[in-house]
């Protein structure tokens, strides 16, 4: 019982430190950080976390094994990450080259990767130069009330409709209909409600 209280006190302290240390983040009210996330932000980028969001980087009390802490990377000029109110994110990498917008009341399970860029251009006309190229990214929009299960990869140019569920281990690119179950590699519609 005392251990549980100590964990709660630690979470409060971590949240206060994050609020102080990451002053250039836009943080809403009652944002909860469970352990420290990894944050990398370009001076002209925006990372906006709205009210009552949980960013969980701790395995303690979480039902899955989390491989690493949350990462919030907006490391390109004018990149944007926006996380809607009452959303819970666990052990997830969110890396915006351009824009990643996550709606309200979303659930994002551990070990998910949300990346709007490929890192490099394909460069098939000159593949030996690929290592020197930089992708510009394609926007990702995750609408309200979406549930993304563990170990998913969400790629640039994706829009996930309101209320959709993405099954564990899915690789998602493109448009996901609202109120549907979407899954697989590559992900396809499994059921529409």
């Amino acid at each position: 019982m005392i251990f549980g209280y100590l964990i709660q006190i630690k979470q409060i302290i971590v949240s206060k430190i994050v609020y102080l240390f990451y002053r250039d983040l836009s943080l809403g009210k009652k944002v909860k950080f469970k352990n420290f996330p990894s944050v990398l932000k370009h001076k002209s980028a925006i990372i906006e976390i709205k009210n009552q969001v949980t960013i969980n980087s701790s395995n303690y009390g979480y039902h899955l094994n989390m491989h690493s802490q949350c990462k919030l990377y907006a490391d390109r000029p004018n990149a944007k990450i926006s996380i809607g109110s009452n959303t819970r994110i666990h052990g997830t990498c969110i890396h915006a080259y351009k824009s990643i917008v996550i709606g309200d009341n979303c659930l994002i399970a551990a070990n998910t990767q949300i990346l709007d860029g490929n890192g490099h251009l394909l460069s098939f006309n000159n593949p030996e130069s690929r290592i020197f190229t930089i992708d510009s990214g394609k926007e990702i929009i995750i609408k309200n009330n979406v549930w993304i299960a563990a170990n998913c990869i969400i790629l640039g140019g994706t829009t996930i409709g309101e209320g959709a569920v993405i099954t564990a281990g899915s690789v998602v690119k493109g448009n996901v209909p609202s109120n549907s179950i979407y899954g697989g590699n590559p992900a396809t519609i499994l059921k529409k409600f």
Side-chain angles (χ1 to χ4, degrees), residues 18-163:
V18 170
Y19 272 87
L20 290 172
F21 188 68
Y22 297 118
R23 289 186 180 269
D24 57 346
L25 302 184
S26 173
L27 299 174
K29 295 176 182 175
K30 296 184 179 180
V31 174
K32 185 188 304 181
F33 291 92
K34 294 182 178 182
N35 227 341
F36 293 98
S38 177
V39 177
L40 184 59
K41 181 184 166 301
H42 187 276
K43 63 183 177 184
S44 69
I46 296 169
I47 298 178
E48 170 187 52
I49 303 172
K50 296 185 181 168
N51 298 333
Q52 298 180 318
V53 169
T54 298
I55 305 290
N56 181 19
S57 297
S58 173
N59 267 313
Y60 180 78
Y62 187 63
H63 67 285
L64 294 173
N65 189 30
M66 200 179 300
H67 299 308
S68 61
Q69 82 253 37
C70 287
K71 291 171 104 175
L72 303 173
Y73 282 18
D75 58 348
R76 309 294 166 102
N78 304 309
K80 177 183 178 183
I81 296 172
S82 178
I83 301 170
S85 295
N86 200 39
T87 288
R88 294 187 303 196
I89 299 172
H90 305 276
T92 292
C93 172
I94 302 171
H95 190 172
Y97 287 40
K98 190 173 204 166
S99 176
I100 298 173
V101 176
I102 300 170
D104 297 338
N105 305 308
C106 291
L107 301 169
I108 302 175
N111 311 316
T112 291
Q113 314 296 315
I114 303 173
L115 313 155
D116 71 354
N118 294 323
H120 301 281
L121 300 174
L122 294 176
S123 303
F124 284 120
N125 60 341
N126 189 8
E128 57 275 356
S129 70
R130 183 178 294 146
I131 196 166
F132 303 109
T133 66
I134 299 172
D135 185 29
S136 60
K138 294 179 182 172
E139 182 177 45
I140 294 174
I141 300 170
I142 299 169
K143 296 194 176 175
N144 297 338
N145 307 305
V146 168
W147 177 13
I148 300 173
N151 301 303
C152 290
I153 300 173
I154 312 299
L155 298 171
T158 295
T159 298
I160 300 176
E162 185 161 349

